[in-house]
Amino acid sequence: PSSLDVHYRLVEILASQRRYDRAVELAATIVYLEEDKAAGYRTRGYLYLELEDFEAAALDLGRAIDLDPQNAGLKVNYARALIGLDDPVSALDVLDDVLALDVGVAEAHFLKARAHKMLGRVDDAVLALKAAQARDDGDLSPQIASLQKDLR
């Protein structure tokens, strides 16, 4: 395996052990070595999300989106970072882009519900949450239930 493959594997192992600080350090090397810069920034951005370093996550995920603008998954996670930065308006813009690419992304609908709730738009939040619930395969069920409770 190449040095890059080894770094990816180590990042994966460290992340599975929730050793995100160390994984971020190795991910910096991936960003440097990776020819596909979007993949490198995506990897490090996801780790920053786990650390709840939303500013760093938004920066790396934004760079990855610049290089791979049609990637809905990147945009969903970028919106998560924006919500973490208390910027629901920007998050809603990004999520609208995601849903224009693929209306079936349950997490995008769920994050829209969170953003609308942050803005005090309860009716919009309820509609977005219903859309998330209709598209969820079960992965978001606990989060959906929690947000439903908050909206009551």
Side-chain angles (χ1 to χ4, degrees):
S2 72
S3 173
L4 188 59
D5 292 337
V6 170
H7 277 81
Y8 270 115
R9 183 66 185 125
L10 287 172
V11 165
E12 185 180 307
I13 290 167
L14 290 167
S16 73
Q17 297 170 347
R18 299 187 184 281
R19 295 173 55 198
Y20 300 114
D21 287 334
R22 182 69 182 115
V24 163
E25 292 172 19
L26 285 173
T29 303
I30 289 173
V31 169
Y32 176 76
L33 294 173
E34 180 66 86
E35 285 183 31
D36 177 3
K37 292 296 181 198
Y41 287 123
R42 177 184 62 234
T43 299
R44 193 169 61 183
Y46 289 170
L47 293 168
Y48 281 132
L49 277 176
E50 292 296 334
L51 288 168
E52 296 185 1
D53 184 344
F54 299 116
E55 191 169 328
L59 185 65
D60 273 357
L61 293 171
R63 287 177 178 155
I65 289 167
D66 288 343
L67 298 166
D68 187 5
Q70 298 303 308
N71 188 319
L74 278 174
K75 290 182 177 188
V76 167
N77 284 293
Y78 181 60
R80 284 179 54 211
L82 292 171
I83 287 171
L85 289 170
D86 199 25
D87 187 358
V89 173
S90 296
L92 285 169
D93 289 341
V94 172
L95 294 165
D96 286 340
D97 287 348
V98 170
L99 295 171
L101 292 170
D102 182 358
V103 74
V105 181
E107 189 172 7
H109 291 285
F110 172 75
L111 291 172
K112 278 189 79 161
R114 283 187 55 197
H116 282 303
K117 179 184 178 285
M118 291 171 75
L119 293 167
R121 302 176 185 162
V122 175
D123 291 342
D124 291 332
V126 168
L127 288 174
L129 199 56
K130 285 180 182 177
Q133 201 166 24
R135 291 161 176 84
D136 181 37
D137 60 7
D139 291 343
L140 293 172
S141 293
Q143 294 165 298
I144 289 172
S146 176
L147 189 53
Q148 281 175 326
K149 251 167 90 174
D150 290 347
L151 291 172
R152 289 187 188 134

